[in-house]
Amino acid sequence: HYYLNQPKSILMSRQRPLSPHLQIYKPQLTSILSILHRGTGVVLSMGSVILVSWIIALTLGRETYLMYSKIINHWFSHIVLLGFTFGLFYHLSNGIRHLFWDAGYGYDLKQAYISGGIVVFSSLFLTALTWLIIYIKLI
């Protein structure tokens, strides 16, 4: 109740943060991977629009599908799809990691760093493998 009775000018003059935040904490692998997991969830939600658009283009006829194909085969669209693919595999791999955590495994800091490395490696590997298979099928 002490703060409730103080003038606003005294409360506003304090230059310290109310709670610890990003300016104080050094980024760690575990925090970066957690933030990336949330970010890829958002990317997958937005990427679902691309998939739904593809299905709608299929139902609207040949001309609409050809127009959609022209857009999706642009180099910038390939970069977006590459990011979507990485997001999909990262979110999947990290989701499996979270399932192990939910079962009570992997809480030790060393194990958390090892599993984090596995998540990053598997995401990059599966993304590269997927795009390699797509590239080979297109040739």
Side-chain angles (χ1 to χ4, degrees), residues 8-117:
K8 191 173 186 179
S9 60
I10 291 175
L11 293 175
M12 299 302 284
S13 67
R14 296 179 188 226
Q15 295 299 318
R16 60 191 174 106
L18 297 177
S19 63
H21 54 73
L22 295 176
Q23 293 175 342
I24 294 172
Y25 288 115
K26 182 177 81 169
Q28 299 171 339
L29 180 66
T30 52
S31 62
I32 298 293
L33 295 181
S34 176
I35 293 167
L36 188 59
H37 186 77
R38 292 175 182 154
T40 56
V42 172
V43 167
L44 292 176
S45 298
M46 292 186 296
S48 298
V49 174
I50 295 171
L51 295 174
V52 170
S53 299
W54 175 58
I55 294 169
I56 291 172
L58 281 170
T59 63
L60 293 177
R62 180 177 171 85
E63 295 81 21
T64 307
Y65 181 73
L66 290 174
M67 183 179 68
Y68 181 82
S69 293
K70 195 173 196 177
I71 293 168
I72 212 70
N73 284 320
H74 190 268
W75 65 268
F76 183 75
S77 297
H78 283 188
I79 293 173
V80 171
L81 289 173
L82 179 67
F84 179 77
T85 308
F86 174 77
L88 179 68
F89 286 125
Y90 177 82
H91 207 76
L92 172 69
S93 300
N94 205 41
I96 293 169
R97 179 180 181 219
H98 276 268
L99 288 175
F100 277 97
W101 285 353
D102 290 344
Y105 301 107
Y107 280 119
D108 181 36
L109 189 59
K110 183 178 178 183
Q111 291 174 340
Y113 272 80
I114 290 171
S115 65

